[in-house]
Amino acid sequence: QVQLVESGGGLVQPGGSLRLSCAASGRIFSINAMGWYRQAPGKQRELVAAITSGGSANYADFAKGRFTISRDTAKNTVHLQMNSLKPEDTAVYYCNGNLRPSRYLTDYTYWGQGTQVTVSS
């Protein structure tokens, strides 16, 4: 069983920073990519940033220049450093991982339970 556990959400003032972390644990043979999505009330879930096993990262336009995704391959962990936060960044942030649980299985996509980020004065 694979689990993705997020941490680091909370309440921050506009212009502030937060660092989200996500640790993948359980039966993991290899990880192809990990990333972050977010979902605000009444809106669809959207990609924030993702990073491949090779370290290639891509960002949503709203995240470019403000957010940085990084990965610790040894710990199966991904981080999202969010700076210059705005009220419109308020959402539940979900960790996403595309990985192979076993060398004999195909790739699967897993989700964390989500962590709330609220940007408000």
Side-chain angles (χ1 to χ4, degrees), residues 12-88:
V12 64
Q13 292 186 342
S17 298
L18 278 177
R19 179 179 169 89
L20 305 182
S21 296
C22 172
S25 63
R27 189 182 184 190
I28 300 172
F29 175 72
S30 64
I31 298 178
N32 302 315
M34 295 184 73
W36 291 93
Y37 286 70
R38 71 183 188 183
Q39 187 167 19
K43 295 187 177 181
Q44 290 188 333
R45 190 172 298 188
E46 60 181 353
L47 173 71
V48 178
I51 187 166
T52 68
S53 59
S56 178
N58 66 289
Y59 297 88
D61 286 343
F62 64 79
K64 292 178 180 177
R66 299 190 299 130
F67 296 178
T68 302
I69 190 170
S70 61
R71 181 173 167 179
D72 185 338
T73 56
K75 297 181 179 180
N76 290 337
T77 301
V78 64
H79 307 282
L80 183 68
Q81 178 66 43
M82 303 187 293
N83 300 327
S84 302
L85 283 163
K86 305 174 182 179
E88 51 264 43

